[in-house]
Amino acid sequence: MNKWIKNVQFRLSNSLLPPVCILCGVVGFVSSHRSRDLCLPCLQSLPWIGSQCVRCALPLSATAVEALCGRCQTQPPAFEACLSPFYYQAPLDHLLLGLKFNGRLAQARLLGELMTQWLASVVEVPPEQIIPVPLHATRLRERGFNQAVELARPVARYFDLPLNLHGVRRTRATPPQSDLSRKERLKNICGAFDVMQPMSGSVVIVDDVMTTGSTAHELAAALLSAGAEQVEVWVCARA
Ligand SMILES: [Zn+2]
Ligand SMILES: [Zn+2]
């Protein structure tokens, strides 16, 4: 279909249908932010992150004296910092799983917008480019989309940054990290990325969730050896 007609149709349906909260189903609420998919009480009840490690965003107790978690003090990751608006808890975990395995792209839009609004309030110096964690070609074919790319789109638009979708290739279809221990995850992901272009300046990796950080660490290390000066990680939720 003609892109222009599609666009007009989208805008019409958006302005005629009352907003419905994606979480509680309430209809016709007045949204307090740009997104029309979440009512205010549901927005406020999301697991917004509190006290966290300044390096890897691991949740810390509110009374923690050190700003770095134990692991980052002894074995710091290759990336400089991780920013995450949310803990990986209900209902965020359901939204992210729905996006990943059921292709609910409306949830990608909502989560990407929430991520963007939060990042806009904390990022002082934006990086020079965004690289969403790539999926292996086989998995991309199965799923039809890459959730990290969908989350990164509104972020890149807001910060007016290039979204680099071809700079890195995933060389192996690794088994899902979620089934593995930390040690197994590191081994599983080792050498899984091929950087296809020379890198420079500051780069941000975007992903949906950070669990142990081994995927982000491996990709950051690959980008640094390809010439990037600094790598940060922006995720939607931190486990
Ligand atoms: Zn609601
Ligand atoms: Zn840490």
Side-chain angles (χ1 to χ4, degrees), residues 53-58 60 67-73 77 238:
C53 169
V54 292
R55 188 79 186 251
C56 75
L58 186 78
L60 297 177
L68 281 176
C69 72
R71 187 177 299 279
C72 288
Q73 288 180 35
R238 179 67 163 99

Side-chain angles (χ1 to χ4, degrees), residues 93-219:
D93 48 355
H94 299 293
L95 290 176
L96 282 166
L97 288 173
L99 157 63
K100 204 164 176 170
F101 297 109
N102 303 319
R104 302 216 174 102
L105 290 179
Q107 301 187 354
R109 192 186 56 187
L110 171 69
L111 294 171
E113 277 175 12
L114 291 172
M115 220 177 133
T116 305
Q117 287 167 31
W118 183 84
L119 285 166
S121 68
V122 296
V123 172
E124 283 164 13
V125 184
E128 285 154 54
Q129 61 171 316
I130 294 188
I131 299 188
V133 173
L135 285 181
H136 186 262
T138 315
R139 189 143 301 142
L140 184 61
R141 258 198 309 277
E142 285 164 8
R143 203 173 283 170
F145 67 96
N146 175 351
Q147 71 280 2
V149 172
E150 299 310 317
L151 290 172
R153 283 188 204 285
V155 177
R157 228 178 358 252
Y158 175 85
F159 288 102
D160 197 18
L161 293 172
L163 192 58
N164 188 340
L165 302 182
H166 305 289
V168 184
R169 204 166 54 95
R170 199 144 178 161
T171 52
R172 298 198 312 269
T174 50
Q177 293 278 83
S178 47
D179 301 339
L180 306 172
S181 72
R182 184 187 154 82
K183 224 173 168 179
E184 290 169 331
R185 281 173 189 236
L186 277 170
K187 208 172 145 206
N188 182 40
I189 202 76
C190 182
F193 298 108
D194 233 357
V195 182
M196 316 291 287
Q197 302 164 351
M199 292 286 148
S200 63
S202 61
V203 179
V204 158
I205 298 170
V206 169
D207 207 356
D208 51 352
V209 185
M210 184 191 278
T211 307
T212 62
S214 40
T215 302
H217 168 77
E218 186 66 28
L219 179 50

Side-chain angles (χ1 to χ4, degrees), residues 20-26 29 37-43:
V20 176
C21 177
I22 209 165
L23 286 176
C24 72
V26 68
F29 60 92
D37 297 325
L38 205 59
C39 73
L40 187 57
C42 285
L43 176 70

